[in-house]
Amino acid sequence: MTEIIATNYSVYINKGIAKDINRFFRNNKNRYSKVFILVDENSLKYCYPQLVNAIDVFKDAEIIEIESGEDSKNIEVCHHIWTTLSEYGADRKSLFVNLGGGVIGDMGGFIASVFKRGISFINIPTTLLSQVDASVGGKVGIDLDHLKNEIGLFNTPDAVFIDSTFLNSLDKRQLFSGFAEIIKHALIADAAYWKKVQDFDISDLGDIDALIKTSVSIKNSIVQQDPKEQGLRKILNFGHTIGHAIETFSLENDEKKPMLHGEAIAVGMICEAYLSAEICKLSKSELYEITQFILGKYKIVKLEKMDHHRLIELMKHDKKNDKGDIHFALLSSIGTCEINKTAKADQIIDALNYYIQESKIFK
Ligand SMILES: NC(=O)c1ccc[n+]([C@@H]2O[C@H](COP(=O)([O-])OP(=O)(O)OC[C@H]3O[C@@H](n4cnc5c(N)ncnc54)[C@H](O)[C@@H]3O)[C@@H](O)[C@H]2O)c1
Ligand SMILES: [Zn+2]
């Protein structure tokens, strides 16, 4: 078992995590009254059965099930769950257990954080994305119509339990989506880790625990230095300024197949690596290395030149911007990232065209 100490809580990483959860409950006897477990149909089917017979406290817990997917991450679903909690007599000492991917973690954390002015919650993330990214950082929240994570707050769970065996039932697209965040962690913070990531075959999982531990440690160290994203934490946005715009664009265009978060971030990282070379002196050879690696791992996304302006519009609306400038976190070399860089519209268009051109050559 590996324990990573985050702000006020620990992240436990182990195979067969039930024993660590049992120990946690033994060490926290009498701390909680009732236990509620939030699941979606997939975490209920694939993950809950692995835990319920092994964890006594879970045998008496109430299960609250929601429909899977980002569409559930809204205030109506929260309202329904708060009503359910009230009906079941949840009190200030109740514990909310978030068993599922990032949607369950973000929304369950939000539900618990404001119910009766805040009850305790623990997270058991079951997708690669939620294990390596959402497991630390204290962001909880929901979407407001199409605006992702528009409503929320910073609040920490009492503990996080990560078990990579849950990933066995996850489909490949979801695995690659989470892998994009692992690539990002290496690029922004750790050149030696980048070598390991390049040699790793995510499709057969292999020793994924080693990657999960390194990624959680990197993100944890960044958020501990800057919990509220005033400075350093912005490096976690590498690939995300352009990536988010591409993700939102794919969601608002019904004729385009909706992209998963990590798939859009993979494209965003190539474009922002190009900007890094233009603006931050990333070497051409490292730009090439990043581009070739990501193109080799992810399906080519068709970007149309006529859509570039809409993408730039979307970047301007990003809540992380101020005074109308579009902000980027860019690499000066692999493993080193700089924040508060701005790029002109022309440079962003060049970056999008760079992706189009390189992906054509790659084919
Ligand atoms: N708080 C943060 O710091 C943070 C960081 C990154 C992402 N997020 C949020 O996380 C969400 C995306 O997370 P996600 O990619 O985990 O999405 P998700 O929760 O929608 O899960 C993806 C799919 O996998 C299914 N699933 C979950 N675990 C499974 C398992 N073990 N086996 C089979 N299927 C399983 C889910 O039912 C869902 O269909 C977004 O809402 C995003 O905003 C938050
Ligand atoms: Zn991300």
Side-chain angles (χ1 to χ4, degrees):
M1 187 264 287
T2 299
E3 179 179 359
I4 295 172
I5 312 284
T7 325
N8 313 323
Y9 68 98
S10 288
V11 180
Y12 301 93
I13 304 170
N14 207 355
K15 282 192 160 67
I17 201 73
K19 54 185 175 296
D20 303 285
I21 300 177
N22 271 324
R23 187 181 330 102
F24 172 82
F25 282 117
R26 275 200 307 278
N27 293 342
N28 289 281
K29 237 186 186 156
N30 303 326
R31 182 166 171 189
Y32 307 115
S33 53
K34 291 182 173 147
V35 176
F36 296 85
I37 307 179
L38 182 66
V39 291
D40 65 20
E41 72 279 8
N42 293 315
S43 62
L44 181 62
K45 182 173 172 192
Y46 298 113
C47 311
Y48 175 73
Q50 294 186 43
L51 300 177
V52 66
N53 291 323
I55 300 168
D56 285 341
V57 177
F58 282 8
K59 288 183 185 135
D60 305 322
E62 299 292 347
I63 306 292
I64 303 178
E65 185 186 346
I66 61 163
E67 235 175 82
S68 66
E70 189 74 24
D71 284 353
S72 287
K73 204 173 146 185
N74 63 52
I75 196 74
E76 284 80 23
V77 176
C78 291
H79 181 271
H80 170 73
I81 295 171
W82 286 317
T83 308
T84 309
L85 287 174
S86 283
E87 283 169 3
Y88 279 114
D91 58 21
R92 298 281 302 271
K93 282 180 75 186
S94 296
L95 175 72
F96 211 67
V97 177
N98 298 314
L99 177 65
V103 167
I104 293 281
D106 275 17
M107 184 166 66
F110 177 71
I111 288 167
S113 298
V114 295
F115 183 76
K116 291 189 190 285
R117 297 200 180 84
I119 60 171
S120 294
F121 64 100
I122 62 173
N123 289 343
I124 310 175
T126 61
T127 62
L128 185 58
L129 186 82
S130 59
Q131 294 186 344
V132 297
D133 193 355
S135 57
V136 283
K139 287 184 180 176
V140 296
I142 54 170
D143 302 336
L144 179 66
D145 299 322
H146 291 305
L147 299 172
K148 277 194 73 177
N149 303 324
E150 189 76 353
I151 309 294
L153 59 139
F154 286 98
N155 193 18
T156 49
D158 288 5
V160 175
F161 299 93
I162 297 179
D163 188 337
S164 62
T165 54
F166 289 135
L167 305 178
N168 294 334
S169 52
L170 202 62
D171 76 38
K172 289 272 181 293
R173 267 188 83 193
Q174 296 287 352
L175 266 184
F176 275 89
S177 181
F179 189 55
E181 301 290 351
I182 291 178
I183 295 172
K184 180 193 77 179
H185 292 142
L187 290 176
I188 62 174
D190 189 337
Y193 185 36
W194 167 243
K195 296 274 171 251
K196 287 199 188 116
V197 169
Q198 281 177 294
D199 290 338
F200 193 83
D201 181 6
I202 187 66
S203 47
D204 77 354
L205 282 177
D207 185 16
I208 187 72
D209 283 33
L211 267 60
I212 294 173
K213 286 171 198 168
T214 309
S215 271
V216 172
S217 300
I218 288 174
K219 179 160 181 194
N220 187 44
S221 139
I222 295 167
V223 299
Q224 282 195 325
Q225 293 172 65
D226 175 24
K228 295 278 170 74
E229 206 165 322
Q230 316 271 295
L232 176 74
R233 187 171 175 167
K234 293 181 188 170
I235 65 174
L236 291 165
N237 294 325
F238 172 67
H240 281 61
T241 308
I242 293 179
H244 264 155
I246 292 172
E247 184 182 9
T248 308
F249 185 76
S250 89
L251 297 176
E252 68 182 18
N253 285 273
D254 291 342
E255 70 275 14
K256 295 222 187 291
K257 197 158 151 244
M259 294 171 78
L260 296 181
H261 176 72
E263 294 170 340
I265 297 314
V267 180
M269 286 192 286
I270 292 180
C271 296
E272 294 184 24
Y274 172 87
L275 288 179
S276 300
E278 291 294 299
I279 296 167
C280 248
K281 299 199 170 76
L282 177 73
S283 72
K284 286 281 186 291
S285 64
E286 291 197 330
L287 168 62
Y288 182 77
E289 198 177 309
I290 296 167
T291 307
Q292 294 304 305
F293 178 71
I294 297 178
L295 286 176
K297 292 281 169 198
Y298 291 85
K299 258 212 353 248
I300 306 289
V301 175
K302 210 156 175 274
L303 297 181
E304 310 279 357
K305 287 192 177 174
M306 65 185 183
D307 297 331
H308 287 358
H309 286 285
R310 176 64 191 143
L311 290 175
I312 289 177
E313 277 297 315
L314 287 168
M315 288 172 218
K316 284 186 178 152
H317 287 123
D318 193 313
K319 62 177 172 291
K320 297 190 175 79
N321 289 323
D322 60 313
K323 299 191 208 102
D325 281 339
I326 301 174
H327 283 243
F328 291 89
L330 298 177
L331 307 173
S332 49
S333 64
I334 289 175
T336 317
C337 190
E338 296 181 14
I339 58 166
N340 297 333
K341 299 286 168 187
T342 56
K344 298 198 174 29
D346 285 355
Q347 291 173 303
I348 299 172
I349 288 173
D350 287 348
L352 294 164
N353 285 335
Y354 171 76
Y355 176 82
I356 295 174
Q357 171 206 316
E358 291 301 309
S359 54
K360 268 191 196 139
I361 300 170
F362 192 84
K363 267 187 197 164

